[in-house]
Structures are given as structure tokens and as C-alpha cells.
């Protein structure tokens, strides 16, 4: 049987001969980048192995561009695997689905998408031997879809079978394209913006500038719950505007605000998605300082001596070794189901948070780590709620404390 790398190369050659010259490709990975992907799989309780690992080691991330035709039909694409940040965001999506009643979500990892959205995702499934891959959609995340014996739609038994099916499906859809659609698609690809880290930072800067402009012309007031306030909090260089946010939150907490339940947040619940929170303050810090803050939150939530090595590494500002990240992930997934009712179950969640904190201190991941620590630590003496985390970061940004200090 032809190896999976040769299969990919042969398919790319076929597509090139069919005039799809810039519609697929690969991005080689350094050893460090491969380890980041591997750690992202561990954080979801999976191993990066088999054909997928072989493909990543030989070719890196492989991709095929999607396209929406003039008649509204869509040619599926592929980016395998999804970028590490999206792997983590999709991990959080599944974690929330499980907490909302979809027990099957504990067994999935969203590996890639056809069109870039969750509703076109393909998921590795830990059930049925742990090798199968099926089609995921958000309507599978409701509490009504919890039969543990039901496989995902369009399930393939293993990665090789699934990869073969996807390449065949993409090729078949491409062959149906008319000349005009093919020409328009080629033009779109030539004009498409880059999606590397610099391009993402430029996109964030544009969104921040638009948010600041809304404030300047009076179109965004503090009385409005709006995600733009989160963008401003994490990114503005206007100290007066940042002070306005800090003071606004202080006054809201002192006076109360009808659309916000600070009393509930103080008991360990999540932060509103459209109100500036501690993760946005943490985003203003460098990565070592973010790790120190997360390390302190973990230390206060754990209620024992577990995870001491990970916490010590975080409090020193260091990400720790790949072995440390693997160990924390293994502890977090010794059982797959989320369980807040037992000390062991809560410890698994803190281990998952530690693995995340050690690896990728992005704004989204800091929010998730602090939230898990608040949820798990609810009722533990000294544990941080998200209001406590906000107070600490407020003090850091105003020069009254150092990151992660008691």
C-alpha cells in the first residue's frame, strides 16, 4: 500500500495537472512547531500518531482551499490539523458542550474543518477504539444527543480511510467546477490575505482601531455590553481609555449593574462574554507574567499539593518542559468525563488548566485557565474567583502589585 505521504503528493500532482495550481499545498513545521501541535492533542486527551504524525513530520500542515461557487454550492477545503490556537478554542467549545449536557463531547477532538467553521468540522472520536473520525456539527452538542453508542455521522474507521475519503470528495467537487468559477477562485487565492501570526496581529489591530473610533465619536458608551470593550481593554495604548475601563468596572461593582451579577461571579462562576474581564487585563502583560498569574490562580484553587512542579514552573514565568506538559495532560485525562463533584474530578480539571497554562498563554487560554480555577476553587478558602483575578490584575497594571504575587 502506498504511504500516506506519497498519497498526498500524488493527489497534489493530480490537482496541479487539472489546473488547480495554487489551491493546495503544505507548510513545513519546525521541531518546536510539531511539539506545539503534539501538546495540543495531549491537552484534549489524544496522541498525535499514525498517518497524521507521518504526514506532519514529512510535509507539515497540509491544506486545500475551500470555495463558494457562484451558484451557492461549496467546494470543501482542508487544513490538517487546524492551527494550534483553533485547536484550543475548539477544545473549549467541546468542554462547554459537555458541561451543557452533551456527554459525548468528552470523547472528541475537532481536527479540521471543510469551510473554516465549527459546523463543518471533522472530529477524532475516542470511542470505538479511539481511531475513528466523523463529521461534527453544533446540533450534536445538545443534551438530546448523548447516546454513547451513537457514532458521529460519516464516520471513517481510521485516519487513513478518512483522509482518502476527504481527498476524493474534494477532487470530485473540484471536477464539477465551470471555467468561470475556476478563474474566479484563482483570482481570489491570489488576492487572499496571509493567515500567519503577523496577519492575525494586523487584523486585531484593525479591530482595536475601529473600537477606539467608536468610543471617540460617542457610538460606544460604557453603558453598553459590547465585545469591543474587551478589545479595548486588552489592546489600547491610550492610558486614559484604559483608566476609564478600570474605573468603570470599579463603579459597576460598587453601585451594582442590572445586567451583571457580580454576586454570582464572586461564587466562582464564569465571566460575561461581552464585558471586559481579567483575561483582557492579562493580555496586556508579557507571557512570563501571564504564566505567573495563572500559576497563582492554580495554587489557590488546588486545595492540596498536586501539580506542584507545574505551579512552580508557572510562578517562575517559565513554560516548563514538554514532559511536564504531557504529564499534566495525562493527569487531566485519566478519565474523560468532567466531574466537579469529587476531589479527584476537580483535580483532573486543574491538571487540564495547568497543561494549558504551561503551553499557550494566549488571551483566550488565560481566560479559560482562570475560569476553570474559579469554577473548581468555588468554596475553597483563598481560591480566586474571577473578581479576585480582576482585582489582582488591576493592581498589577496600576503598579500596586507584581504578577502572581500573594
Amino acid at each position: 500500500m502506498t504511504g500516506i505521504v506519497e498519497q498526498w503528493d500524488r493527489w497534489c500532482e493530480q490537482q496541479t495537472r487539472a489546473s488547480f495550481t495554487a489551491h493546495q499545498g503544505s507548510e513545513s513545521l519546525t521541531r518546536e512547531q510539531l511539539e506545539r501541535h503534539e501538546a495540543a492533542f495531549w491537552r484534549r486527551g489524544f496522541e498525535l500518531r499514525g498517518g497524521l504524525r507521518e504526514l506532519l513530520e514529512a510535509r507539515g500542515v497540509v491544506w486545500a482551499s475551500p470555495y463558494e461557487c457562484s451558484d451557492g454550492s461549496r467546494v470543501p477545503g482542508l487544513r490538517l490539523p487546524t492551527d494550534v490556537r483553533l485547536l484550543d478554542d475548539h477544545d473549549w467549545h467541546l468542554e462547554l458542550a459537555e458541561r451543557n449536557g452533551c456527554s459525548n463531547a468528552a470523547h472528541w477532538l475537532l481536527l479540521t474543518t471543510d469551510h473554516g467553521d465549527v459546523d463543518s468540522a471533522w472530529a477524532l472520536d475516542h470511542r470505538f477504539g479511539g481511531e475513528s473520525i466523523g463529521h461534527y456539527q453544533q446540533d450534536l452538542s445538545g443534551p438530546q444527543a448523548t447516546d454513547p453508542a451513537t457514532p458521529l455521522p460519516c464516520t471513517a474507521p481510521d485516519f487513513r480511510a478518512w483522509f482518502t475519503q476527504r481527498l476524493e470528495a474534494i477532487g470530485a467537487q473540484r471536477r464539477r467546477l465551470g471555467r468561470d468559477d475556476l478563474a474566479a477562485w484563482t483570482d481570489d487565492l491570489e488576492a487572499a490575505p496571509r493567515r500567519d501570526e503577523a496577519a492575525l496581529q494586523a487584523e486585531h489591530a484593525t479591530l482595536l482601531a475601529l473600537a477606539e473610533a467608536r468610543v471617540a465619536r460617542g457610538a460606544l458608551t460604557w453603558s453598553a455590553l459590547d465585545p469591543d470593550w474587551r478589545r479595548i481593554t486588552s489592546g489600547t495604548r491610550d492610558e486614559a481609555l484604559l483608566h476609564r475601563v478600570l474605573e468603570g468596572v470599579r463603579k459597576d461593582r460598587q453601585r451594582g449593574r442590572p445586567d451583571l451579577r457580580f454576586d454570582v461571579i464572586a461564587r466562582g462562576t464564569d465571566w460575561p462574554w461581552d464585558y471586559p474581564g481579567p483575561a483582557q487585563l492579562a493580555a496586556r502583560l508579557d507571557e512570563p507574567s501571564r504564566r505567573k498569574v495563572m500559576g497563582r490562580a492554580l495554587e489557590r484553587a488546588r486545595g492540596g499539593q498536586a501539580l506542584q512542579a507545574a505551579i512552580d514552573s508557572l510562578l517562575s514565568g517559565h513554560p516548563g518542559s514538554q514532559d511536564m506538559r504531557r504529564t499534566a495532560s495525562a493527569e487531566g485525562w485519566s478519565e474523560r468525563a468532567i466531574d466537579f463533584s469529587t476531589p479527584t474530578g476537580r483535580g483532573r480539571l486543574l491538571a487540564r488548566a495547568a497543561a494549558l497554562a504551561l503551553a499557550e498563554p494566549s488571551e483566550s487560554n488565560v481566560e479559560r485557565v482562570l475560569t476553570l480555577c474559579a469554577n473548581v476553587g468555588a468554596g475553597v478558602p483563598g481560591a480566586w474567583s474571577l473578581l479576585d483575578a480582576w482585582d489582582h490584575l488591576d493592581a498589577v497594571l496600576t503598579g500596586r502589585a507584581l504578577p502572581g504575587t500573594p
Side-chain angles (χ1 to χ4, degrees), residues 246 250 281 388-403 405:
L246 296 175
R250 293 186 195 114
L281 297 186
D388 295 319
W390 174 277
D391 289 339
H392 174 72
L393 286 156
D394 184 342
V396 169
L397 291 178
T398 53
R400 294 176 285 119
L402 295 175
T405 55

Side-chain angles (χ1 to χ4, degrees), residues 27-302:
E27 300 168 8
S28 61
L29 297 176
T30 65
R31 172 53 56 180
E32 180 182 2
Q33 289 169 327
L34 180 62
E35 288 180 351
R36 288 185 66 213
H37 280 88
E38 183 173 50
F41 274 61
W42 294 341
R43 291 196 293 277
R44 190 65 200 164
F46 285 81
E47 292 290 330
L48 179 57
R49 60 189 177 191
L52 176 56
R53 186 180 192 96
E54 182 183 347
L55 200 58
L56 282 177
E57 289 180 341
R59 294 292 178 266
V61 174
V62 298
W63 58 269
S65 294
Y67 181 66
E68 184 169 347
C69 303
S70 56
D71 63 1
S73 62
R74 304 175 87 181
V75 178
L78 179 75
R79 184 173 179 84
L80 188 65
T82 298
D83 295 334
V84 169
R85 287 193 180 191
L86 271 181
L87 285 171
D88 284 334
D89 287 346
H90 291 166
D91 183 0
W92 198 2
H93 167 83
L94 291 174
E95 180 183 290
L96 293 174
E98 184 184 357
R99 291 175 64 176
N100 287 329
C102 179
S103 60
N104 283 349
H107 302 280
W108 300 331
L109 179 153
L110 301 190
L111 180 66
T112 187
T113 70
D114 285 344
H115 304 290
D117 54 87
V118 171
D119 272 332
S120 67
W122 293 90
L124 277 168
D125 196 332
H126 198 268
R127 303 170 298 165
F128 320 119
E131 298 290 335
S132 64
I133 302 178
H135 194 245
Y136 172 83
Q137 293 177 313
Q138 290 196 71
D139 58 10
L140 297 173
S141 297
Q144 74 279 3
T146 57
D147 181 359
T150 302
L152 288 163
C154 306
T155 289
D158 54 41
F159 177 80
R160 178 61 183 268
W162 172 82
F163 190 61
T164 299
Q165 291 172 9
R166 295 317 301 149
L167 295 185
E168 290 175 351
I170 293 169
Q173 288 289 91
R174 287 179 172 188
R175 287 192 294 272
R176 297 190 184 101
L177 283 175
R179 186 184 303 272
D180 291 343
D181 270 322
L182 179 54
W185 189 4
T186 301
D187 290 342
D188 288 347
L189 286 173
E190 291 175 352
R194 295 172 299 121
R195 298 304 300 166
D196 57 15
E197 188 65 27
L200 289 174
Q201 291 178 2
E203 180 180 323
H204 292 162
T206 298
L207 292 173
L208 172 61
L210 291 172
E212 290 176 327
R214 289 182 66 198
V215 175
R217 67 175 184 267
L220 177 61
T221 64
W222 182 251
S223 61
L225 291 177
D226 193 303
D228 271 351
W229 281 118
R230 290 165 71 96
R231 295 187 179 97
I232 288 167
T233 305
S234 62
T236 188
R237 295 294 173 251
D238 184 334
E239 291 298 325
L241 188 52
L242 176 62
H243 177 77
R244 177 177 173 182
V245 172
L246 296 175
E247 191 60 29
V249 173
R250 293 186 195 114
K251 289 180 178 178
D252 286 346
R253 290 172 61 181
Q254 292 168 358
R255 302 171 182 175
R257 182 164 167 170
D259 44 9
L260 295 171
R261 292 293 306 275
F262 292 110
D263 58 328
V264 176
I265 297 172
R267 295 197 292 271
T269 62
D270 297 5
W271 195 271
W273 67 273
D274 49 3
Y275 189 73
Q280 284 69 60
L281 297 186
R284 304 184 67 84
L285 306 178
D286 59 23
E287 289 193 358
S289 296
R290 296 181 202 179
R291 290 192 181 97
K292 292 175 183 179
V293 172
M294 290 187 286
R296 188 64 64 191
L298 281 161
E299 182 182 54
R300 287 177 169 270
R302 64 181 172 163

Side-chain angles (χ1 to χ4, degrees), residues 339-348:
D339 178 13
F340 282 95
S341 66
T342 66
T344 300
R346 293 190 293 272
R348 287 200 305 273

